[in-house]
């Protein structure tokens, strides 16, 4: 009897200690540690990788997905607007595809629900790849190795669905892990500098966190560009693409609304905003403070915040890189 | 008793029909009533947790939309899971309602519209997005307000009045936020305005941050009602979804219960049906049992009777069987007897004038089948026309006198052959009263032939005996005649010679008388001579004597020929055919010499032929006589001697040929074919027997192994050719 109650006491204590430890290990922070992506069929991922880097998806065999989403440079092209086939200039800034699987929807205006549906967009856009499914399937079918790879993964062989599925699967694996900030969140206090820590504090206290939150530090909601100021009036030259989500829903309240972009790897994805108007991180932070936060910001604060933002750059599995 | 089982069958059939109709209406669908509640519960829970997530965000400190998104996704998935389970996207959601009411288990489909749910889902998504945007803005402003208030407090540390105001404001904002920030931020804004009014004086420059605060408060005021509206919308939509789910649940439950009820009623009907069938069956069984008992009793008594009856019947049957057997045996015997008997038994129906029964023997006699015989009157038609009259006369007599008659007649059988039939028939009266003839046919051809043969032989024997007698007589007569003829002839010769001398004497006497003068003697003598007409005598006596001599010579010749002809020898010997022909012609010369010429054309070098001379003579005689008759028939005035008979002999190889040619009236073909038949004759009865040529044929053909042929053309003449082998040696050896 005695022995039994003793065991109970020990068990109860252990449970309490574990509870405390878990609370310490996972502080109640608005930004969560990035976790490894869901594992997929390796063959499918490899096939997606091949297609992602294939110029056959474009009408004149010059542009691949990787042309605008350079995986070595934050998975975008470093341009305000991307260059499509025949050196055509696009209308919008290419977003990074890293961690894009975690976003609520794809494209700046969230016009498609997921990555698989997104694939069709650039292929058919005359200013981007300028091709179509029929052409793409025809070209890909001429590559016997590729056909074999397809039939190995999918029973149905090459089709619109399988191409999209392969590319989307590959993209879903492009998760940046182990960013210094993630290490910090795990409890490694030395993972980031003091300035970064200060920046994180400011990030939360100055209101950035109200939109850029969650595991992906953004990407999980839409917000009007210019909540506390009229950005577009100040910038001028309003184009259709500037209306953002309004183009999709047609609701007045969605005018100038965009998907809040993820700030992970933000240091690598200049220029910023849908129009690529901010060429540096500092400029972007200033613009955000002005139009979104509606408050003054000091250069120290800008510095601290950019230092924090730089700690959000994670690593990609080398296997997934070309 | 007969109608009841029928009614039962109908009831059972109706029962089966029920079952078939029921199971026909059951199909399989993706969702069934059992899994539906789990789908609906999931929607309810996820919908609730989504609302809760929003509430947590509103009341909590932490801003993290990931959990909200997760709730939203869960809710979205819960609906799409239900919706995607529709059989076809365009059709309403179809559910299978499984039920088990303790009696029967089954399924029933039910349809639900998910349009409301889907549109609610879309609307809610937009509301959530709006919430996130607006809430972020408000939360942002709140954060910034406190942040700016803090910094403002720091800036205005020395201005106690403003500091006091700031603290007041902060208290108000905090209070508002804590209790009813959503509704009463306008109050806060008023306070700020009041505060601004207090602060905004010429003495005090309004701090920049205060403007920012004002802006943010304005933003909250603007967005406060908006977020409230959004939250209300969200609550409305979640209630709507809840109601819709409840409606679906209720409808499903209702359908389920209805189906359960339906199947329960059906099952009860089915049970009642089966019970009633059972009861009916049981009653029937009881009835049958009672009946069986009665029947058994009855059977027992019946059995005895039956046993007894059976025994007698069996005995009778045995007896009758044995009778039948013996009858059958007898019948078989009779049939065998009738079928195998030489001859043919028949029954002739006089009323129908038809044969009503005939045994198979008919085929042997007539060569025709029984059927032919029965259907056509072939039997009577086959009787020789010349025998028919006799046949019918005799039959008539027999029928009239009711006596058995024995008939013999000739028929032509199926192949046209002549058959002799003997028919013994008796008129009878059958059981039915009809008059009939019962008789039997025999084929008596062989007997008849034998009879004829015997008759013929008899005739021949008589003939030959006659001939022999005639021959003997002729020989005797010839001898008797021959002797006087001999001395008559001798005497006549002597007389002739003597008469010449006597007449010469008389001539000389006459000459002398003439030379001598008349004297008495001479005168006497003269007158005496004149009296006897001496010159006439002188002239006639020698010729008379000569003629007498001729005559007697002729007589002698005939006699000799007769002697030769009637040579009694019957044996083969070497014969001089020419001589034989000569005597034959001579013998019958009386037959021909008045009507025709006779030309003899004999081969001088004819060898001696081994034959029976009498036979050959007889044959040739016959032919010559016939030839003479033919000539007589042809020539009305036979004295003209236009008729001509040529008898010629030839020697060819080992044979001698005798040809008798005449230029008489010849024979028609039908006669020619039958001339060698026995009893065939064209002559009147009494003149010819119809035997001559048939005997000739037999003698030459059979006896001498020779041949006799006839060649005749009507109106021109007939040629008989007899071929005789020189030697009979070859024939004898072969015989």
């Amino acid at each position: 009897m005695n022995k039994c109650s003793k065991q109970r006491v020990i068990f109860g204590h252990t449970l309490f200690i574990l509870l405390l430890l878990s609370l310490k290990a996972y502080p109640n922070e608005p930004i969560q540690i990035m976790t490894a992506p869901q594992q997929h069929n390796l063959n499918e991922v490899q096939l997606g990788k091949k297609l992602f880097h294939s110029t056959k998806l474009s009408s004149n065999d010059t542009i691949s997905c990787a042309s605008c989403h350079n995986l070595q440079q934050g998975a975008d092209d470093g341009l305000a607007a991307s260059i499509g086939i025949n050196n055509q200039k696009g209308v919008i800034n290419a977003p990074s595809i890293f961690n894009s699987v975690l976003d609520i929807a794809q494209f700046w205006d969230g016009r498609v629900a997921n990555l698989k549906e997104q694939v069709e967009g650039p292929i058919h856009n005359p200013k981007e790849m300028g091709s179509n499914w029929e052409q793409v399937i025809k070209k890909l079918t001429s590559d016997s190795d590729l056909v074999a790879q397809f039939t190995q993964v999918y029973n149905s062989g090459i089709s619109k669905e399988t191409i999209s599925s392969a590319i989307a699967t590959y993209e879903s694996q492009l998760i940046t892990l182990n960013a210094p900030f993630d290490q910090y969140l795990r409890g490694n206090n030395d993972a980031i500098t003091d300035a970064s820590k200060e920046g994180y504090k400011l990030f939360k206290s100055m209101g950035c966190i109200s939109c850029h939150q969650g595991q992906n530090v953004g990407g999980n909601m839409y917000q009007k560009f210019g909540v506390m100021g009229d950005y577009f009036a100040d910038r001028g030259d309003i184009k259709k693409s500037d209306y953002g989500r309004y183009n999709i829903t047609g609701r007045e309240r969605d005018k100038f609304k965009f998907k809040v972009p993820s700030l992970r790897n933000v240091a690598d994805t200049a220029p910023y905003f849908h129009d690529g108007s901010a060429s540096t991180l500092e400029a972007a932070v200033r613009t955000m403070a002005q139009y979104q936060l509606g408050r003054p910001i000091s250069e120290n604060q800008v510095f601290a915040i950019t230092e924090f933002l730089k700690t959000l750059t994670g690593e990609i599995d080398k296997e997934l890189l070309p | 008793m007969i109608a009841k089982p029928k009614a039962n069958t109908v009831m059972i059939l109706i029962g089966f029909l029920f079952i078939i109709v029921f199971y026909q209406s059951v199909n399989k669908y993706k969702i069934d009533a059992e899994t539906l509640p789990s789908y609906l519960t999931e929607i309810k829970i996820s919908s609730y947790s989504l609302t809760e997530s929003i509430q947590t965000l509103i009341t909590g400190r932490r801003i993290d939309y990931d959990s909200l998104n997760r709730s939203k996704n869960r809710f979205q998935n819960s609906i799409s899971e239900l919706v995607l389970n529709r059989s076809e996207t365009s059709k309403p959601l179809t559910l299978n309602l499984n039920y088990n009411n303790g009696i029967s288990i089954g399924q029933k489909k039910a349809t639900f519209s998910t349009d409301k749910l889907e549109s609610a889902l879309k609307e809610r998504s937009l509301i959530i997005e709006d919430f996130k945007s607006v809430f972020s803005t408000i939360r942002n402003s709140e954060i910034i307000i406190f942040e700016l208030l803090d910094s403002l407090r720091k800036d205005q540390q020395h201005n106690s009045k403003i500091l006091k105001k700031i603290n007041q404001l902060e208290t108000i904002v905090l209070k508002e936020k804590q209790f009813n920030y959503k509704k009463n931020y306008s109050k806060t804004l008023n306070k700020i305005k009041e505060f601004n009014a207090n602060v905004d004086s010429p003495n005090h420059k309004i701090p920049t941050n205060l403007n920012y605060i004002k802006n943010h408060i304005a933003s909250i005021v603007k967005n406060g009602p908006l977020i409230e509206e959004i939250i209300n919308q969200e609550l409305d939509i979640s209630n709507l979804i809840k109601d819709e789910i409840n409606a679906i649940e209720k409808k499903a439950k209702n359908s389920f219960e209805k189906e359960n009820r339906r199947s329960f009623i059906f099952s009860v009907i089915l049970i009642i049906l089966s019970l009633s069938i059972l009861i009916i069956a049981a009653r029937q069984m009881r009835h049958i049992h009672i009946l069986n008992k009665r029947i058994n009793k009855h059977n027992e008594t019946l059995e005895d009777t039956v046993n007894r009856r059976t025994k007698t019947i069996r005995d009778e049957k045995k007896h009758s069987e044995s009778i039948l057997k013996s009858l059958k045996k007898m019948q078989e015997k009779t049939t065998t007897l009738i079928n195998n008997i030489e001859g043919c038994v028949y029954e002739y129906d006089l009323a129908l004038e038809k044969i009503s029964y005939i045994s198979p023997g008919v085929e042997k006699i007539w060569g025709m089948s029984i059927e032919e015989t029965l259907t056509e009157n072939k039997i009577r038609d086959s009787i020789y026309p010349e025998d028919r009259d006799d046949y019918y006369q005799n039959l008539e007599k027999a029928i009239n006198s009711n006596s058995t008659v024995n008939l013999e007649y000739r028929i032509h059988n199926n192949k046209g052959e002549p058959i002799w039939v003997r028919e013994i028939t008796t008129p009878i009266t059958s059981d039915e009263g009809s008059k009939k003839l019962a008789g039997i046919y025999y084929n008596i051809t062989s007997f008849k032939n034998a009879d004829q043969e015997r008759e013929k032989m008899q005739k021949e024997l008589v003939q030959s005996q006659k001939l022999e007698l005639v021959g003997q007589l002729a020989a005797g007569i010839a001898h008797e005649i021959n002797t006087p003829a001999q001395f008559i002839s001798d005497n006549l010769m002597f007389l002739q010679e003597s008469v010449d001398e006597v007449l010469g004497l008389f001539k000389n006497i006459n000459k002398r008388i003439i030379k001598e003068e008349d004297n008495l003697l001479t005168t006497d003598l003269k007158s005496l001579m004149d009296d006897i007409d001496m010159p006439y005598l002188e002239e006639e006596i020698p010729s008379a004597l000569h003629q007498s001599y001729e005559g007697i010579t002729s007589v002698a010749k005939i006699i000799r020929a007769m002697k030769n002809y009637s040579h009694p020898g019957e044996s083969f010997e070497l014969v001089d055919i020419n001589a034989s022909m000569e005597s034959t012609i001579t013998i019958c010369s009386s037959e021909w010499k008045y009507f025709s010429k006779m030309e003899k054309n004999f081969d001088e070098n004819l060898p001696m032929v081994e034959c029976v001379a009498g036979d050959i003579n007889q044959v040739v005689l016959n032919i010559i006589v016939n030839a003479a008759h033919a000539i007589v028939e042809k020539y009305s005035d036979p004295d003209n001697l236009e008729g001509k008979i040529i008898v010629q002999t030839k020697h060819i190889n080992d044979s001698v040929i005798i040809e008798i040619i005449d230029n008489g009236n010849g024979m028609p073909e039908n006669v020619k074919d039958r001339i060698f038949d026995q009893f065939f004759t064209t002559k009147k009865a009494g003149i010819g027997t119809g035997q001559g040529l048939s005997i000739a044929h037999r003698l030459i053909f059979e006896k001498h192994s020779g041949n006799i042929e006839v060649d005749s053309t009507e109106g021109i003449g007939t040629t008989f050719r007899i071929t005789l082998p020189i030697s009979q040696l070859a024939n004898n050896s072969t015989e």
Side-chain angles (χ1 to χ4, degrees):
Chain A
M1 286 289 275
N2 244 348
K3 208 180 172 185
C4 197
S5 61
K6 211 174 185 179
Q7 274 181 340
R8 269 186 196 168
V9 170
I10 293 166
F11 182 74
H13 275 98
T14 323
L15 214 76
F16 182 71
I17 291 160
L18 276 170
L19 198 79
L20 283 176
L21 278 171
S22 68
L23 282 170
K24 174 87 178 97
Y26 299 98
N28 193 15
E29 292 294 339
I31 296 172
Q32 282 92 48
I33 299 162
M34 185 59 88
T35 48
Q38 197 190 334
Q39 285 296 310
H40 277 271
N41 178 3
L42 259 179
N43 287 330
E44 194 179 4
V45 173
Q46 284 303 317
L47 178 62
K49 182 180 162 184
K50 199 167 182 180
L51 291 169
F52 188 85
H53 293 95
S54 172
T55 52
K56 283 181 179 164
L57 298 185
S58 64
S59 64
N60 59 0
D61 292 359
T62 55
I63 304 289
S64 73
C65 301
S67 302
C68 298
H69 301 285
N70 189 341
L71 301 186
Q72 318 283 15
Q73 297 173 19
D76 72 352
D77 51 7
L79 299 168
S82 300
I83 304 296
I85 53 159
N86 307 321
N87 289 322
Q88 291 181 89
K89 202 177 170 192
V91 293
I92 210 153
N93 185 17
S96 171
I97 55 160
F98 285 151
N99 312 314
S100 57
V101 69
L102 299 169
D103 286 359
I104 45 165
Q106 300 301 323
F107 296 117
W108 279 100
D109 51 15
R111 61 177 177 267
V112 298
N114 53 46
L115 287 172
K116 201 179 161 186
E117 287 174 36
Q118 183 272 339
V119 175
E120 192 172 64
I123 289 174
H124 282 76
N125 192 328
K127 284 188 175 178
E128 295 179 21
M129 288 171 162
S131 186
N132 57 59
W133 282 121
E134 199 184 332
Q135 200 180 20
V136 169
I137 289 165
K138 204 175 159 190
K139 276 197 220 172
L140 295 180
T141 308
S142 65
D143 184 343
S144 57
D145 288 351
L146 201 63
V147 172
Q149 238 174 314
F150 260 102
T151 45
Q152 194 187 348
V153 180
Y154 307 104
N155 292 331
S156 54
I158 296 181
S159 73
K160 170 183 158 179
E161 277 73 30
T162 55
I163 295 167
S164 301
S165 179
I167 293 173
T169 303
Y170 171 65
E171 288 173 342
S172 75
Q173 302 297 296
L174 298 172
I175 298 289
T176 55
L177 294 171
N178 218 22
F181 186 70
D182 288 333
Q183 293 173 36
Y184 170 72
L185 286 180
R186 278 203 188 91
N188 184 355
N189 222 17
D190 302 329
I192 57 171
T193 59
D194 287 346
S196 306
K197 286 175 197 165
E198 180 60 26
Y200 178 46
K201 264 186 201 163
L202 288 170
F203 191 77
K204 289 193 279 186
S205 66
M206 289 178 82
C208 311
I209 201 74
S210 53
C211 289
H212 295 283
Q213 31 62 46
Q215 202 175 30
N216 211 11
V217 202
N220 57 5
M221 61 177 284
Y222 301 98
Q223 186 56 285
K224 188 177 176 180
F225 195 2
V227 183
M228 300 306 294
D230 199 338
Y231 169 81
F232 292 101
D234 294 350
R235 194 198 73 189
D237 185 23
I238 300 173
K239 287 175 283 196
K240 196 196 171 199
S241 59
D242 292 327
Y243 287 108
R245 193 136 177 84
Y246 173 78
N247 292 333
I248 312 306
T249 64
R251 299 193 307 174
E252 194 59 35
R253 62 168 69 164
D254 285 335
K255 229 173 208 173
F256 306 122
K257 254 187 200 173
F258 293 91
K259 185 177 73 186
V260 172
S262 164
L263 294 182
R264 286 202 176 260
N265 312 301
V266 74
D268 290 347
T269 61
Y272 302 102
F273 306 137
H274 72 281
D275 52 3
S277 60
S279 53
T280 64
L281 204 48
E282 286 80 4
V285 171
R286 278 187 214 108
T287 306
M288 281 287 109
Q290 187 184 346
Y291 293 103
Q292 300 304 106
L293 302 179
R295 58 164 295 153
I297 188 162
S298 68
E299 282 308 302
N300 285 342
Q301 286 169 327
V302 171
F303 172 74
I305 288 171
T306 50
E307 281 304 298
F308 159 66
L309 292 176
K310 283 171 189 167
T311 66
L312 292 171
T313 304
E315 294 159 0
I316 273 281
D317 185 357
K318 293 278 185 295
E319 287 287 309
L320 297 169
L321 296 175
Chain B
M1 277 315 290
I2 295 160
K4 265 189 182 173
K6 256 187 191 171
N8 288 349
T9 319
V10 169
M11 276 175 93
I12 290 163
L13 278 174
I14 289 166
F16 274 117
L17 216 70
F18 252 94
I19 294 165
I20 290 161
V21 167
F22 178 71
Y23 281 100
Q24 283 276 314
S25 64
V26 173
N27 281 308
K28 289 194 190 289
Y29 300 95
K30 285 189 173 180
I31 298 180
D32 56 34
E34 277 171 27
T35 52
L36 179 71
S38 69
Y39 280 102
L40 298 180
T41 309
E42 171 62 16
I43 294 171
K44 266 175 165 174
I45 289 170
S46 62
S47 173
Y48 176 71
S49 82
L50 185 56
T51 311
E52 210 175 35
S53 287
I54 290 165
Q55 292 300 330
T56 312
L57 278 168
I58 292 165
T59 53
R61 261 184 67 240
R62 187 175 150 186
I63 304 171
D64 178 359
Y65 294 142
D66 281 1
S67 62
L68 177 63
N69 283 347
R70 276 195 290 275
S71 294
K72 196 191 93 180
N73 285 342
R74 185 183 163 188
F75 172 66
Q76 238 167 358
N77 289 341
S78 70
I79 288 189
S80 51
E81 243 174 76
L82 180 72
V83 172
L84 285 174
N85 268 306
R86 293 178 305 191
S87 45
E88 273 175 54
T89 44
S90 58
K91 282 184 182 168
L93 174 68
T94 309
L95 299 180
N96 258 358
L97 300 176
N98 285 337
Y99 59 85
N100 184 348
N101 54 22
I103 297 167
S104 64
I105 302 166
Q107 284 183 328
K108 177 75 185 175
K109 70 171 186 175
T111 55
F112 305 94
S113 167
T114 55
D115 295 350
K116 269 188 189 170
L117 270 184
E118 282 175 85
S119 66
L121 175 67
K122 267 184 203 158
E123 210 182 315
R124 205 176 188 188
S125 294
L126 287 172
I127 288 166
I128 301 270
E129 290 311 323
D130 286 347
F131 170 77
K132 281 193 279 187
S133 303
V134 176
F135 187 66
S136 283
T137 314
I138 290 173
R139 190 45 71 87
N140 185 29
S141 293
E142 275 176 2
I143 293 166
I144 288 162
I145 285 166
F146 289 109
E147 166 92 10
L148 290 177
L149 277 173
D150 262 355
S151 64
L152 196 65
R153 204 184 288 123
K154 269 180 201 165
D155 288 349
Q156 304 292 330
Q157 256 175 355
H158 310 292
N159 193 334
S160 59
K161 198 185 172 186
I162 290 176
L163 203 65
K164 199 185 166 192
K165 287 282 175 191
I166 290 165
N167 286 340
Q168 274 178 355
L169 187 67
E170 194 175 30
T171 315
I172 290 162
V173 170
L174 272 172
K175 222 181 184 176
E176 296 270 348
K177 185 181 174 250
Q178 213 170 347
F179 298 103
N180 211 353
Y181 80 95
K182 287 167 279 174
K183 278 183 182 169
N184 296 319
Y185 262 100
S186 51
K187 239 186 213 170
T188 315
L189 192 66
N190 286 338
K191 290 282 178 192
I192 293 233
K193 276 177 185 165
E194 193 188 314
F195 173 82
N196 273 358
N198 288 338
V199 174
D200 194 12
S201 67
N203 304 335
H204 305 287
K205 198 177 165 244
I206 296 170
T208 334
N209 282 358
L210 207 59
N211 270 333
Y212 285 122
I213 290 169
K214 206 175 87 187
N215 285 346
H216 279 287
I217 286 180
S219 167
I220 288 173
V221 169
K222 189 181 126 198
N223 287 312
L226 197 60
I227 196 91
E228 199 173 350
E229 189 195 322
I230 288 167
I231 287 163
N232 284 338
Q233 275 178 356
E234 205 283 324
L235 280 171
D236 288 350
I237 206 106
S238 73
N239 282 334
L240 190 126
I241 287 163
K242 204 167 80 189
D243 291 349
E244 186 62 27
I245 294 295
N246 285 340
I248 289 177
E249 222 163 17
K250 202 175 166 190
K251 193 184 171 189
K253 204 180 160 194
N254 282 348
S255 324
F256 178 76
E257 274 170 3
K258 199 175 147 196
E259 187 51 34
N260 217 341
R261 216 156 39 234
R262 193 180 77 86
S263 68
F264 181 78
I265 290 162
F266 170 77
S267 307
V268 166
I269 290 168
L270 209 66
I271 286 165
I272 289 167
L273 259 171
S274 11
L275 275 176
S276 48
I277 288 165
L278 269 174
I279 288 161
I280 289 160
R283 284 179 70 174
Q284 292 243 324
M285 288 291 276
R286 200 166 144 259
H287 194 79
I288 287 165
H289 185 69
I290 291 162
L291 276 178
N292 269 350
K293 258 186 181 172
R294 264 191 240 161
I295 288 163
N296 280 346
K297 218 178 221 174
H298 191 71
N299 275 355
E300 274 164 27
T301 49
L302 205 68
E303 215 167 329
D304 280 352
T305 329
V306 166
N307 276 345
R308 261 179 280 132
R309 287 292 296 276
T310 314
K311 212 180 163 219
T312 40
I313 286 166
R314 207 182 289 139
D315 291 349
E316 273 169 21
K317 201 181 163 194
K318 245 182 204 167
H319 185 65
S320 63
E321 263 173 8
S322 72
I323 286 170
L324 214 70
K325 226 181 226 171
S326 58
L327 267 174
K328 214 171 171 189
K329 233 179 209 170
M330 220 152 97
Q331 199 199 1
E332 273 168 21
K333 242 183 205 169
T334 318
T335 314
T336 326
L337 207 67
I338 288 171
N339 288 356
N340 292 309
I341 202 165
E342 192 59 43
C344 156
V345 182
Y346 78 92
E347 189 189 59
Y348 187 86
D349 195 313
L350 286 165
L352 295 170
E353 298 194 324
K354 228 176 183 178
I355 290 170
S356 48
Y357 169 79
I358 194 149
S359 71
V362 74
E363 285 171 39
K364 268 189 192 167
I365 302 170
W366 272 269
M368 52 178 94
S369 68
I370 294 170
E371 286 73 32
E372 270 181 287
T373 327
L374 292 175
T375 49
E376 297 158 58
N377 216 357
K378 280 199 171 171
I379 289 200
R380 290 193 174 182
D381 290 348
S382 68
I383 300 171
Y384 268 39
E386 49 263 50
D387 293 352
R388 256 179 232 174
D389 290 346
D390 263 5
Y391 174 79
Y392 285 112
Q393 271 174 25
N394 290 333
L395 205 61
E396 188 83 41
K397 244 185 251 168
I399 291 163
N400 290 338
S401 64
N402 224 354
S403 57
T404 306
V405 70
N406 188 344
L407 302 159
E408 273 180 30
Y409 47 87
R410 287 164 294 173
I411 56 134
H412 286 298
N413 71 3
N414 225 16
K415 293 171 195 162
E417 290 162 358
I419 305 275
W420 272 98
V421 170
R422 170 175 295 148
E423 180 182 347
I424 300 164
T425 190
T426 314
I428 55 164
T429 311
S430 72
D431 297 342
E432 300 100 54
S434 54
K435 279 221 155 203
K436 284 179 178 175
L437 286 173
I440 184 160
Y441 295 114
Y442 293 113
N443 183 347
I444 54 161
T445 311
S446 51
F447 301 109
K448 267 291 185 214
N449 284 349
D451 278 359
Q452 280 182 356
E453 196 73 9
R454 213 180 310 123
E455 213 170 294
K456 195 174 79 188
M457 294 284 274
Q458 200 103 35
K459 272 187 186 171
E460 271 174 31
L461 194 68
V462 171
Q463 187 81 6
S464 62
Q465 276 173 346
K466 257 194 218 164
L467 281 171
E468 208 175 289
L469 201 66
V470 170
Q472 277 172 359
L473 276 171
I477 291 163
H479 182 73
E480 289 300 317
I481 293 168
N482 205 23
T483 317
Q486 200 63 50
F487 66 75
I488 288 168
S489 171
D490 288 350
N491 286 346
L492 279 173
M493 283 279 273
F494 167 73
L495 278 174
Q496 253 181 325
E497 287 161 15
S498 315
V499 161
D500 282 349
E501 281 173 23
V502 171
L503 285 175
L505 176 78
F506 272 102
K507 254 176 182 173
N508 289 335
I509 292 167
N510 205 25
K511 273 170 191 173
R512 290 233 192 124
I513 293 168
I514 294 164
K515 278 171 186 174
E516 303 235 349
E517 290 297 321
D518 298 332
N519 60 26
L520 191 54
L521 188 59
T522 58
T523 326
D524 249 1
L525 276 173
K526 236 182 179 165
S527 70
L528 273 173
M529 275 206 200
D530 285 345
D531 279 351
I532 60 165
D533 196 3
M534 205 52 205
Y536 175 76
L537 288 178
E538 246 172 79
E539 211 175 300
E540 287 300 314
I541 285 170
S543 75
L545 280 177
H546 182 71
Q547 278 174 0
S548 297
Y549 180 74
E550 287 274 297
I552 204 73
T553 311
S554 177
V555 167
K557 191 179 166 189
I558 288 166
I559 293 299
R560 206 163 44 247
M562 268 178 76
K563 244 173 113 179
N564 281 345
Y565 184 81
S566 60
H567 194 286
E570 277 291 313
S571 54
F572 283 94
E573 51 195 343
L574 289 174
V575 175
D576 178 359
I577 291 295
N578 286 349
S580 196
M581 287 305 104
E582 195 74 58
S583 42
T584 305
I585 290 164
T586 309
I587 283 177
C588 65
S589 57
S590 59
E591 296 286 329
W592 52 265
K593 67 177 176 191
Y594 304 108
F595 322 110
S596 79
K597 289 179 268 185
M598 176 64 72
E599 194 176 314
K600 284 171 265 181
N601 199 356
F602 296 155
D603 184 352
E604 295 300 321
N605 299 317
L606 206 66
M608 299 294 271
V609 174
E610 191 181 3
C611 63
V612 180
D615 290 347
I616 305 303
N617 289 345
Q618 191 187 338
V619 170
V620 174
L621 181 80
N622 248 313
I623 293 167
I624 292 171
V625 170
N626 282 343
H629 290 168
I631 287 163
V632 171
E633 275 172 41
K634 188 179 174 185
Y635 301 106
S636 49
D637 187 8
D639 294 344
N640 295 343
L641 289 184
E642 282 170 76
K644 187 177 179 185
I645 297 170
I646 305 164
V647 177
Q648 53 188 23
T649 58
K650 282 183 217 163
H651 174 214
I652 296 169
N653 299 331
D654 290 337
S655 298
V656 163
I657 289 167
I658 307 160
E659 278 180 333
I660 301 103
I661 303 158
D662 71 68
N663 60 350
N665 61 351
M667 296 177 266
E669 283 294 306
N670 60 338
V671 175
K672 195 175 94 183
D673 291 342
R674 295 181 64 192
I675 52 167
F676 297 116
D677 286 357
Q678 199 166 22
F679 307 116
F680 178 80
T681 181
T682 56
K683 297 180 177 122
K684 280 177 193 162
I687 294 177
T689 56
Q691 293 244 64
L693 282 172
S694 89
I695 292 167
H697 185 256
R698 206 150 48 78
L699 289 176
I700 301 299
F701 197 74
E702 289 170 20
K703 202 169 177 179
H704 289 86
S705 307
N707 198 8
I708 178 160
E709 294 164 290
V710 66
D711 196 5
S712 177
T713 314
E714 200 174 0
I716 289 172
T718 305
T719 302
F720 278 90
R721 187 177 297 108
I722 299 160
T723 310
L724 287 172
I726 293 165
S727 168
Q728 291 289 323
L729 231 107
N731 304 315
N732 289 338
S733 70
T734 54
E735 271 172 7

